[in-house]
């Protein structure tokens, strides 16, 4: 793995073990500790999607002076949201090159609450550049569709200059970096329901290429990654996280995504789905189908309705079972398309990312089960602890702070990559190839 990446020293990097229970910090992912970082890194990046804004920023460990200052009631006008988050401008602004160590922080906001997001940046002085204690106008890397929609608001509010980065390039750069540098970042999840200790971490150091990445946002993108500098979007689907969120809201009346996921754990999808056993009364062993395999998602609803209306027996499916069946349907569909694309290109590793997964046990188990089922155990579904921040991290890494050690510099002719249309593919409108211009 690399020891440095655009000025960041990742020797000994590790993901923090503790998760804060403070309600204000529910939108944080685990920070990444950089124990040997010395060069002052004073920038952050944003990935603005249709639903969520993701921010990645670096904060050095507080100096003794800053720690004692921050404990004083007069040092800050607002409370710190985290013991690992800077509570005063001195923590971020007045960093000397002698300060050793710090953390990469990850936080998200709903896009509709952009004012709250910008208030966080202002409160924690992330927008203030510093060079020998002289402020300057910072250039911030930003990606995602909202990079254009909210550009003027962000520049006017923060007084910064925005540099727009390509969304897919940032996504893959962030993912490749995590796979090659951060221990206990990627893991497999047992396809067996309620399996004790279902996560098994993948060691860092092995060559991850080639692999298929499945990015699950409102829709789904399927990307074949051939190397650190080359990838291709090979397919896409409109049935993604937005499908689950929208249909679940329509069918259950819930609006909050977290509540929907919680509800799925309380339901029984077999009250809604028509399974092989409902049709045959047992396994269909001659073609290898067990009785609990789904024959038709939501297929049992029509039969139950007829029985209720004609015979007055039974009750309508409860919201929890509907939510459970819906989650299983979306996960199964995504996993099957992922496997078919992996088979198409001869890949046996599939990484699933995006906030839809949300480190949710049921979602990961369903995806793992479906991939294992279709591949007969030959292909693995793999997941990430920072699955929702790949684009924001990639944008962060494409910025150029002071390098922590001398390194050759490659001058890029393009800030992004070179598009090469895949004319031979039947899904050409959904298929294009990137050659990443690596910043060394």
């Amino acid at each position: 793995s690399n020891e440095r990446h655009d000025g960041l020293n990742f020797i000994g990097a590790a993901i923090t073990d503790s998760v804060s229970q403070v309600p204000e910090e529910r939108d944080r992912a685990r920070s990444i500790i950089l124990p040997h970082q010395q060069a002052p890194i004073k920038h952050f990046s944003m990935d603005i999607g249709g639903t969520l804004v993701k921010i990645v920023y670096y904060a050095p460990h507080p100096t003794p002076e800053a720690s004692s200052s921050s404990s004083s009631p007069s040092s800050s006008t607002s409370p710190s949201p985290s013991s690992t988050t800077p509570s005063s401008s001195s923590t971020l602004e007045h960093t000397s090159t002698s300060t050793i160590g710090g953390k990469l922080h990850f936080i998200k906001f709903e896009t509709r609450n952009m004012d709250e997001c910008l208030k966080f940046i202002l409160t924690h002085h992330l927008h203030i550049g510093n060079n020998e204690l002289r402020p300057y106008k910072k250039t911030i890397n930003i990606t995602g569709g909202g990079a254009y929609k909210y550009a003027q608001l962000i520049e006017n509010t923060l007084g910064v200059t925005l540099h727009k980065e390509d969304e897919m390039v940032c996504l893959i750069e962030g993912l490749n970096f995590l796979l090659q540098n951060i221990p206990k970042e990627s893991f497999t999840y047992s396809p067996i329901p309620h399996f004790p200790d279902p996560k098994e971490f993948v060691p860092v150091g092995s060559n991850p290429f080639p692999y298929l990445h499945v990015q699950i946002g409102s829709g789904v993108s399927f990307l074949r990654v051939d190397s650190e500098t080359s990838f291709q979007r090979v397919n896409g689907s409109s049935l993604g996280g937005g499908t689950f969120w929208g249909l679940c809201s329509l069918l259950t009346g819930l609006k909050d995504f977290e509540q929907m996921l919680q509800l799925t754990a309380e339901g029984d999808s077999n009250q809604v789905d028509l399974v092989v056993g409902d049709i045959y009364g047992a396994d269909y062993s001659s073609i290898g189908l067990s009785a609990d395999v789904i024959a038709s998602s939501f297929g049992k609803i029509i039969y139950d309705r007829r029985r209720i209306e004609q015979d007055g027996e039974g009750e309508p499916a409860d919201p929890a079972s509907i939510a459970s069946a819906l989650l299983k349907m979306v996960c199964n569909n995504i996993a099957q398309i992922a496997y078919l694309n992996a088979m198409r290109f001869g890949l046996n590793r599939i990484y699933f990312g995006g906030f839809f997964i949300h480190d949710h046990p049921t979602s990961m188990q369903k995806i793992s089960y479906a991939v294992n089922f279709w591949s007969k155990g030959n292909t693995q579904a793999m997941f990430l602890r920072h699955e929702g921040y790949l684009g924001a991290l990639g944008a962060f890494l494409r910025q150029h702070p002071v390098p922590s050690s001398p390194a050759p510099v490659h001058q890029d002719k393009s800030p992004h990559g070179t598009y090469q249309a895949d004319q031979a593919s039947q899904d050409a409108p959904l298929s294009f190839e990137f050659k990443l211009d690596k910043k060394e």
Side-chain angles (χ1 to χ4, degrees), residues 382-411:
M382 308 176 85
F383 304 92
L384 304 154
R385 297 174 78 180
H386 293 93
E387 77 261 307
Y389 293 92
L390 304 180
L393 179 59
F396 185 94
L397 295 171
R398 290 183 71 79
Q399 204 146 340
H400 277 273
V402 180
S404 59
S405 60
V409 177
H410 171 67
Q411 297 297 329

Side-chain angles (χ1 to χ4, degrees), residues 39 139 143 160 165 212 225 229 245 250 260 263 282 285 288 297 303 411:
T139 298
T143 190
V160 298
E165 293 280 0
L212 185 77
V225 184
T229 59
W245 199 338
L250 188 66
M260 293 177 185
L263 186 64
S285 55
S297 294
Y303 297 104
Q411 297 297 329

